[in-house]
Amino acid sequence: MALRIPARHVYAARNAILLSARKNPTLKRNASAMAVPTSSSPESIGHDIYKEASLTNPDPSADSSTAALVSRYSPYMVATYVRPPPVMVKGEGCYIWDMENRKYLDFTSGIAVNALGHCDPEMAKLIGHQARTLVHASNLYHNAWTGELSKLLVTKTRESGAMKDASKVFVCNSGSEANEAAIKFARKVGKLRDPSGEKFELVSFQNSFHGRTLGSLSATPNPKYQKPFAPMIPGFKYGIYNDEAALRGLITERTCGVIVEPIQGEGGVMVANSSFLQALRDRCNEVGAVLIYDEIQCGLSRTGSLWAHGSLPASAHPDILTTAKALGNGFPIGATMVTEEIAQCIVTGDHGTTFGGNPLGCRLAHYIVSRLSEPELQEEVLEKEKIFRNGFKKLQIRYPDLISEVRGRGLILGVQLTQDPTPIVTAARERGLLIITAGTNTLRFVPPLIVTETEIEEGLSILGEAMRAVMITPDAIDGTKGQQEMAPSGR
């Protein structure tokens, strides 16, 4: 049965939203763009009209141009991700726009990638210049930018007080590849330290995420994701994060390497205790194992220092450090930094890459590392953390039965909820804020490091509105699935 909606009701709804927009900046952006129908509509369209009048950024409807585009191309794409309806087409700073010109404040940074925000102007200039100069020549030949980036990473790392023995760098294309290199290097060191071949085991920790290629997946102990590709690479053992007492039995003479995230991003923004990382270093020293810090998500100034482990004493520093994500600010690049002792174990032919170290990627990363290592930027990250935490504290007071804890450091923060966070992700997106999840029932906040105080306050305001909407009508908002790389086993 068709539903006829009187025009005066629609105009009244529109006027109400416009009035609210004058008082609420989060409504102002899209209120003037509301469509006003003038004819009969079925119930579904009536619901869409109400939705348009209630939300600044309602998800595109099933009959939208967005939905048509997704339907057109989905048959040709391997379904490796579950995505919400919007199709993103443009970004600038901390904002991103979809193909229907809806504007979103982005607190995801492409999963902690766009530390300098979307479409950094200088980065755009460098891409154009280098693309006209030299993009790729392969690792069969030298190019200046691979060396420049390697030197800068080592120099800035030492200057920051992190990884005291940083010496050399292998440049690749992604975080998973950086970890694959680290795993291979640890295995090679084990072979050299124990020619019998018995020193081949690698240790990682529950709730970790090190990548999706087979080696890095073998280091990521989530049965849900390992089982379809079993058996994993033999020799991996898994421990409990922050459990110091178990390390002696876990790390033995057969252990060639230990890989750990100083802050587990995908695992729920879990921070390693300083004493745990020191105990790991001590046990690795005792048995001759390589210690690998995976700082792919938490590194490059996201915690307010160049590397998350930088506040640790030199006695807790790693033998290998892996990085990616922010290293390219959206351009695919990763790196594995090693001590001289590890580098001496790797010879020509042990490892390689076709695209890794290309002039374009390395020139961009050189600029990005130069920016991200600026002390002023790092100091601002810590000040922005305080603003976030103050806002989260206010929300926790307002919703004590919803928010149980806030974790993290700098601008990698997790808000632990007592219920499924995905409806809040939906409600926030439909009000103009992009956030993602992590671990079990955790909202993750990894905004660009250039985010302003005004933008943080805007995002916190939208987050509060989203939480209010979910708490008032808990069954009315569908959750957004697929907003983290790996959901916990069993979800």
Side-chain angles (χ1 to χ4, degrees), residues 17 103 140 218 257 351 444 450:
I17 290 299
K103 180 181 179 182
L140 299 179
S218 297
H351 199 50
R444 179 174 21 162
I450 62 165

Side-chain angles (χ1 to χ4, degrees), residues 150-151 153-155 157-158 163-170 318-319 336-344:
S150 299
K151 179 183 177 182
L153 278 169
V154 170
T155 301
T157 295
R158 288 179 169 177
M163 197 176 176
K164 62 182 178 62
D165 294 324
S167 176
K168 290 181 170 60
V169 177
F170 170 76
D319 303 297
T336 307
M337 189 156 33
V338 301
T339 64
E340 184 62 30
E341 183 178 4
I342 303 301
Q344 290 296 321

